[in-house]
């Protein structure tokens, strides 16, 4: 709710503030606090005031770096700020711009926006994958965090509850502490990204790195704060499941037969490890490359002795509708990539509680 004294124009994308006015709406407070906390550099000529310490500064250079300090004080915990005449809050990219900068021939300044945070974390993930080809386990981690969602009760889903022991110790999650340990240094390096976003971003980046499709991604998932958010064991699909059980599991999440089929195609990346699942072996001969080979292999009348086929894989051939999709994806990688990106995007937002 805005103060009556505030004069503003809200076009749904920007809030243009006229005069030095306190930003008191919840959304605006959160934007300003985040921008200050992660090191926002204000545009030249824009003033900002902390209404707790009553300190005002006008930015003529890069006033803020990695802290929220100016004039000798730290303002990271302050929730009440004032923006100068004409400053804009971009609700989608969380980027500030000053209209005078256009008059002076300069474009808007964009530093440490949520878009840039995503790009920086993506780059850091790529470095991880270049050093350690752990793409498959990142996809598995994100899948298992998302795959607990129950659409009827609104529980489970992409809230990073999988990082807590009660859920991490579920049998289906054996070995996933490896993924958590690999991501923890990145979380420490970029503390402003939530675990929930980090897990899902690691997955989509892994798939792209492995030559798979580009998957739409949105930042802003809130983290579960404690183990009380962990769902009960048994919500994830199992290797032994046939189509009736797969449907029960996926329909509980609000997903479809098409989602069952196309998301199973993620088995093209990675392998089974006996110490984690009781099974051993890859689904394809290039388990670090994301393509449509999984569908080609499970359609072969005689299985390749060097590859694995699970009951859940072969169940896709038991139903005429899902078999038709398997045949389509085996023949057309582009069709698989298109449908996979749509279904994975859907999966990556199941049960999300959004910060923004």
């Amino acid at each position: 709710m805005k103060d009556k004294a505030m004069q503003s124009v809200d076009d749904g994308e920007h809030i243009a503030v006229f005069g030095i006015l306190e930003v008191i709406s919840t959304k605006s407070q959160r934007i300003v606090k985040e921008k200050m906390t992660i090191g926002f550099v204000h545009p030249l000529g824009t003033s900002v005031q902390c209404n707790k310490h009553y300190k005002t500064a006008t930015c003529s250079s890069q006033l803020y770096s990695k802290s929220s300090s100016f004039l000798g004080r730290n303002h990271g915990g302050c929730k009440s700020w004032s923006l100068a005449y004409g400053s804009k809050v971009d609700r989608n990219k969380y980027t500030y711009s000053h209209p005078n900068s256009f008059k002076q021939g300069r474009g808007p300044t964009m530093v440490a926006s949520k878009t840039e945070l995503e790009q920086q974390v993506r780059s850091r993930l790529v470095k991880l994958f270049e050093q350690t080809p752990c793409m498959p386990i990142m996809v598995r981690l994100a899948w298992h965090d998302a795959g607990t969602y129950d659409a009827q009760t609104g529980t489970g889903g992409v809230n990073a509850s999988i990082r807590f022991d009660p859920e991490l110790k579920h049998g289906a999650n054996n070995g996933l502490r490896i993924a958590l340990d690999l991501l923890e240094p990145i979380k420490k390096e970029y503390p402003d990204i939530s675990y929930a976003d980090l897990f899902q971003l690691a997955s989509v980046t892994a798939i792209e790195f492995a030559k798979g499709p580009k998957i739409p991604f949105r930042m802003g998932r809130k983290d579960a704060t404690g183990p009380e958010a962990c769902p009960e064991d048994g919500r994830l699909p199992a290797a032994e499941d046939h189509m009736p059980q797969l449907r029960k599991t996926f329909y509980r999440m609000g997903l479809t037969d098409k989602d069952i089929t196309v998301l199973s195609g993620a088995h093209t990346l990675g392998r089974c490890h006996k110490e984690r699942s009781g099974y051993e072996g890859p689904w394809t001969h290039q388990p670090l490359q994301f393509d449509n080979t999984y569908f080609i292999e499970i359609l072969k009348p005689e299985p390749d002795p060097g590859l694995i086929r699970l009951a859940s894989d072969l169940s896709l051939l038991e139903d005429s509708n899902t078999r038709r999709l398997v045949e389509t994806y085996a023949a057309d990688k582009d069709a698989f990539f298109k449908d996979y990106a749509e279904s994975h995007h859907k999966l990556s937002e199941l049960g999300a509680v959004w910060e923004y």
Side-chain angles (χ1 to χ4, degrees):
M1 180 177 179
K2 300 186 180 75
D3 193 303
K4 293 180 180 179
M6 174 177 284
Q7 299 174 19
S8 65
V9 177
D10 186 346
D11 63 5
E13 184 176 354
H14 299 88
I15 304 172
V17 183
F18 298 91
I20 298 180
L21 300 163
E22 183 179 355
V23 180
I24 62 169
S25 70
T26 302
K27 195 173 188 69
S28 297
Q29 282 181 10
R30 185 160 60 242
I31 293 168
V32 174
K33 184 181 176 184
E34 284 180 1
K35 302 301 286 188
M36 299 295 291
T37 301
I38 65 175
F40 176 64
V41 179
H42 282 276
L44 301 180
T46 300
S47 296
V48 62
Q49 173 178 294
C50 168
N51 295 325
K52 178 180 179 183
H53 298 127
Y54 298 101
K55 297 291 185 180
T56 303
T58 299
C59 303
S60 58
S61 62
Q62 292 188 350
L63 186 61
Y64 308 104
S65 56
K66 290 296 183 183
S67 71
S68 309
S69 300
F70 65 83
L71 303 180
R73 290 182 181 270
N74 187 289
H75 305 270
C78 301
K79 298 181 179 180
S80 181
W81 297 87
S82 295
L83 300 180
Y85 174 82
S87 299
K88 289 185 176 181
V89 179
D90 184 326
R91 289 185 170 184
N92 297 317
K93 295 184 179 179
Y94 295 83
T95 300
Y96 291 67
S97 62
H98 193 283
N100 290 340
S101 65
F102 294 100
K103 295 177 183 178
Q104 298 170 9
R106 299 192 304 271
T109 302
M110 295 185 292
V111 179
S113 66
K114 70 168 184 175
T115 301
E116 289 179 339
L117 178 61
E118 177 187 334
Q119 292 170 347
Q120 290 169 14
V121 175
R122 279 183 183 267
S123 296
R124 182 64 178 80
L125 287 164
V126 167
K127 289 181 182 179
L128 171 64
F129 299 147
E130 289 171 345
Q131 297 166 357
T132 306
C134 56
M135 297 83 73
I137 201 169
M138 295 304 168
V139 176
R140 181 170 169 242
L141 174 66
W143 215 119
H144 285 211
D145 193 42
T148 60
Y149 182 59
D150 186 317
Q152 186 171 1
T153 64
T155 57
V158 290
N159 60 8
S161 61
I162 197 170
R163 73 192 193 277
F164 297 116
D165 276 351
E167 185 172 348
L168 189 59
K169 290 180 178 179
H170 291 174
N173 295 330
N174 287 341
L176 286 179
R177 187 170 293 280
I178 295 169
L180 295 178
D181 290 345
L182 287 167
L183 291 177
E184 190 58 32
I186 299 177
K187 172 63 175 168
K188 289 181 179 178
E189 189 174 347
Y190 298 97
D192 295 289
I193 190 169
S194 67
Y195 281 103
D197 276 349
L198 179 58
F199 296 169
Q200 297 305 319
L201 185 58
S203 178
V204 301
T205 305
I207 288 169
E208 292 173 29
F209 184 85
K211 301 181 181 180
K214 183 174 180 61
I215 298 165
F217 185 79
R218 171 187 173 189
M219 294 276 280
R221 297 163 186 79
K222 284 187 176 183
D223 286 338
T225 57
E228 65 278 357
C230 295
E232 71 279 6
D233 199 357
R235 289 196 183 188
L236 294 169
E240 301 82 10
D241 287 349
H242 288 266
M243 190 53 65
Q245 182 59 39
L246 287 176
R247 282 185 169 134
K248 182 179 179 180
T249 301
F250 278 77
Y251 289 2
R252 187 204 69 228
M253 292 185 267
L255 300 178
T256 66
D257 284 0
K258 182 179 180 181
D259 295 318
I260 294 173
T261 309
V262 72
L263 290 172
S264 295
H267 282 164
T268 198
L269 196 62
R271 60 181 295 128
C272 292
H273 299 265
K274 192 166 186 178
E275 69 275 14
R276 302 176 195 172
S277 65
Y279 298 92
E280 185 68 41
W283 286 269
T284 76
H285 288 292
Q286 293 183 302
L288 295 180
Q289 180 171 310
F290 195 98
D291 57 24
N292 62 335
T293 307
Y294 164 83
F295 296 107
I296 295 171
E297 291 294 341
I298 65 172
L299 279 173
K300 289 180 178 179
E302 296 296 327
D304 187 316
L307 302 178
I308 194 167
R309 291 180 175 186
L310 302 174
S312 58
D313 301 320
L314 296 176
S315 72
L316 301 177
L317 308 180
E318 298 170 0
D319 178 86
S320 60
N321 290 330
T322 55
R323 184 185 182 98
R324 175 180 53 79
L325 287 168
V326 170
E327 292 169 347
T328 297
Y329 299 147
D332 189 341
K333 185 176 79 170
D334 290 342
F336 168 51
F337 276 21
K338 176 180 179 295
D339 288 352
Y340 183 86
E342 292 174 358
S343 290
H344 189 119
H345 181 208
K346 190 189 308 184
L347 178 74
S348 74
E349 296 187 354
L350 291 179
V353 177
W354 298 100
E355 188 75 41
Y356 315 117

